[in-house]
Amino acid sequence: MRVYLPGTIAMLRELETAGELRARSGTGFALTPALRESYASGSDEELEYAALLDAARASLRLIAAEEKPEPRRVVISADIDEVTLRPDLDAAVVRLAGPVKIADVAAIHVDAAEAAESVQAAAAVIDQADLGDPDAEFTLGDAEDHELAWYAPQELPFLLELL
């Protein structure tokens, strides 16, 4: 199953150094039966993109929790065999049994530098947006208007060097 893991730049550095990564709380997002059921229509590609966007929003929470955050959303796409569906948490949520090895990574998605200001502002108000604050939701929308850039796993060292 293709799983989208929310991350941070610090987590990408860990992935490069250790060759594996533990998802925070073992949480990822995927095209699950509950996610498919929650949409009236949509191709697999569209629904997988919705799961990726859920992971990108979760990345904002991780950025907000870091002591010295680098304000770029990160999503790591990986092919994982052992996951547990968690529709009680949200339609796309899955739990991973263990760490994700670099060999399982299919792609890395990262904000471009021009998104940094919007991402930093969104990370600061993510909790308020979750509680329905319209101004916070607007700020969140500014960050989500930026598309994530795509990188192949073998490009990770070069990506980190450029940051």
Side-chain angles (χ1 to χ4, degrees):
M1 171 180 278
R2 178 64 50 94
V3 177
Y4 301 94
L5 307 168
T8 64
I9 298 299
M11 291 171 72
L12 286 180
R13 293 184 201 291
E14 176 186 330
L15 177 61
E16 181 191 28
T17 302
E20 66 180 28
L21 173 75
R22 285 202 175 273
R24 296 291 190 255
S25 302
T27 301
F29 298 84
L31 172 50
T32 64
L35 180 63
R36 184 180 306 285
E37 192 174 294
S38 69
Y39 281 84
S41 66
S43 67
D44 283 358
E45 186 175 308
E46 291 168 323
L47 296 175
E48 286 203 16
Y49 186 66
L52 182 141
L53 292 178
D54 284 347
R57 183 171 281 204
S59 175
L60 289 171
R61 290 181 185 86
L62 296 175
I63 292 166
E66 286 188 333
E67 193 170 305
K68 293 183 180 181
E70 295 181 68
R72 293 191 191 192
R73 295 171 300 159
V74 171
V75 176
I76 301 155
S77 302
D79 294 318
I80 310 294
D81 293 328
E82 295 184 41
V83 299
T84 303
L85 303 178
R86 292 299 311 266
D88 56 312
L89 297 175
D90 202 353
V93 174
V94 296
R95 289 291 161 103
L96 284 64
V100 175
K101 303 210 179 313
I102 189 79
D104 297 327
V105 174
I108 298 165
H109 312 270
V110 180
D111 272 314
E114 56 268 7
E117 187 176 318
S118 296
V119 169
Q120 186 170 7
V125 299
I126 185 72
D127 289 337
Q128 292 92 328
D130 286 344
L131 295 172
D133 179 312
D135 291 332
E137 288 179 17
F138 183 77
T139 301
L140 192 64
D142 284 345
E144 291 177 339
D145 283 344
H146 293 275
E147 289 291 326
L148 298 170
W150 180 94
Y151 297 91
Q154 60 269 27
E155 293 177 293
L156 179 58
F158 307 108
L159 169 63
L160 292 173
E161 206 174 289
L162 293 173
L163 295 176

